[in-house]
């Protein structure tokens, strides 16, 4: 439970990978971080990973609490934000990070693989942004940071569902940035390139090599590289920045 007057940050998909690094980058002593996760196939594993993130945040003298919330479910998202508001009365930062891949070539892609990716990545970002924006508009301040992807700009074969979701997140970022700017709320995106997490660990070596061959800096990124840009966008230094996409991709998109 947060203490009164603490800065409140919400991070979706904070149990692992880039989301965990974002929780750590936002973990300053005056901050309470709410994060969620959702893996019904491995309830013990997800709870363990979330507890580890909470422990790591506590080492930075911030506080964190987490729960299993499917960002694709309107009911679960609204319940999550209702709890946050009843406990804190405010939301300073929202990071829409939760995301999945269900890769397949277009002609072989099952409709379920399309729907699952659009529901989690795009609809999830919409549902959380809508819930947080209502509060941020009343506060007349707030930061929304969406995690897109470099492939949402340059495309990638075998990922039409994922690429479409990430391109749409960039459009959503720009539209909501214009809509919320008069109320003091900024909306920006961070577009990672090839980052070492569970999401990329499962890729076959030839696919990894093909990605890395496109990176001018010649190496994969770390979750902390992405988190540093998120922390900047959430900071006072970024108060005059909105509707922008920061590419953290070792130069994959120049
Ligand atoms: P990851 O290691 O697979 O972690 C995904 C996180 O999202 C986990 O915390 C997971 O929870 C959570 N999650 C998945 N489905 C969810 C749902 N329906 N509701 C709530 N939470 C859910 O992925 P990552 O590599 O850190 O990726 C994080 C973000 O960066 C994603 O949006 C991804 O598209 C984007 N990105 C990644 C890369 C890359 O190279 N890794 C590149 C560009 C963009 P559980 O732990 O419970 O499964």
């Amino acid at each position: 439970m947060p203490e009164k007057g603490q800065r409140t940050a919400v991070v979706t998909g904070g149990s692992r990978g880039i989301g965990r690094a974002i929780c750590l980058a936002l973990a300053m002593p005056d901050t309470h971080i709410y994060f969620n996760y959702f893996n019904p196939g491995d309830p013990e594993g997800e709870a363990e990973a979330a507890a580890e993130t909470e422990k790591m945040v506590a080492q930075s003298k911030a506080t964190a609490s987490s729960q299993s919330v499917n960002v694709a479910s309107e009911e679960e998202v609204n319940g999550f934000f209702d709890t946050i508001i009843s406990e804190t009365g405010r939301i300073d930062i929202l990071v829409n990070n939760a995301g999945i891949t269900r890769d397949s070539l277009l002609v072989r892609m099952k409709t379920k693989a399309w729907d699952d990716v659009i529901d989690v990545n795009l609809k999830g970002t919409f549902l959380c942004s809508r819930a947080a924006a209502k509060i941020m508009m009343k506060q007349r301040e707030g930061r929304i940071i969406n995690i897109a992807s470099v492939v949402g700009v340059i495309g990638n074969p075998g990922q039409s569902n994922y690429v479409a979701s990430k391109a749409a997140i960039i459009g959503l970022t720009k539209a909501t940035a214009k809509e919320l700017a008069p109320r003091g709320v900024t909306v920006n995106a961070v577009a990672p390139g090839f980052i070492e997490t569970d999401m990329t660990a499962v890729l076959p070596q030839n696919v990894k090599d093909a990605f890395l061959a496109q990176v001018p800096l010649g190496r994969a990124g770390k979750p902390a590289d992405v988190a540093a840009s998120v922390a900047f966008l959430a900071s006072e230094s970024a108060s005059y920045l909105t509707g922008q996409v920061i590419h953290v991709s070792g130069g994959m998109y120049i």
Side-chain angles (χ1 to χ4, degrees):
M1 188 85 160
E3 283 168 26
K4 240 188 153 53
Q6 273 188 307
R7 182 172 80 142
T8 303
V10 181
V11 179
T12 68
S15 54
R16 296 186 279 126
I18 293 171
R20 173 183 281 169
I22 291 169
C23 289
L24 298 181
L26 295 176
M28 288 169 222
D30 64 336
T31 307
H32 185 82
I33 299 166
Y34 288 90
F35 68 92
N36 65 13
Y37 50 87
F38 184 69
N39 187 351
D42 181 17
E44 276 174 28
E46 64 171 10
E48 226 172 82
E52 184 60 25
T53 301
E54 282 188 30
K55 220 162 77 187
M56 291 166 89
V57 166
Q59 283 165 3
S60 303
K61 304 218 166 7
T63 52
S65 42
S66 64
Q67 70 185 87
S68 175
V69 174
N70 180 4
V71 294
S73 158
E74 182 168 6
E75 202 185 333
E76 289 188 32
V77 167
N78 289 344
F80 181 50
F81 280 90
D82 285 349
T83 305
I84 295 169
I85 292 311
S86 69
E87 288 180 0
T88 68
R90 63 179 296 114
I91 298 173
D92 299 287
I93 301 156
L94 166 67
V95 185
N96 285 304
N97 163 77
I100 59 167
T101 50
R102 296 286 181 271
D103 296 352
S104 159
L105 292 171
L106 176 68
V107 292
R108 291 196 200 132
M109 187 172 289
K110 304 274 185 257
T111 308
K112 182 166 170 23
W114 175 270
D115 287 343
D116 286 352
V117 168
I118 299 295
D119 281 356
V120 173
N121 298 7
L122 180 57
K123 187 175 158 197
T125 300
F126 155 67
L127 291 173
C128 295
S129 298
R130 183 177 64 180
K134 285 180 187 164
I135 309 303
M136 290 176 173
M137 285 167 78
K138 281 194 200 135
Q139 293 168 181
R140 304 236 157 218
E141 63 180 354
R143 301 287 168 89
I144 299 177
I145 299 148
N146 298 324
I147 305 302
S149 169
V150 69
V151 299
V153 177
I154 64 174
N156 197 36
Q159 289 198 307
S160 55
N161 48 0
Y162 182 78
V163 169
S165 75
K166 294 300 185 178
I169 285 173
I170 292 174
L172 178 69
T173 301
K174 293 180 181 183
T176 48
K178 286 193 173 178
E179 211 173 295
L180 301 179
R183 306 294 187 99
V185 179
T186 68
V187 188
N188 291 288
V190 173
F194 187 82
I195 310 297
E196 283 171 357
T197 68
D198 294 345
M199 184 179 270
T200 48
V202 295
L203 294 172
Q205 192 56 46
N206 63 327
V207 176
K208 287 183 191 171
D209 291 344
F211 262 118
L212 288 173
Q214 297 177 60
V215 182
L217 284 178
R219 60 177 171 84
K222 304 268 185 223
D225 295 322
V226 180
S229 286
V230 172
F232 164 66
L233 289 170
S235 75
E236 203 39 49
S237 310
S239 60
Y240 199 56
L241 240 164
T242 198
Q244 304 305 306
V245 182
I246 299 184
H247 285 263
V248 183
S249 63
M252 267 180 91
Y253 173 72
I254 291 179

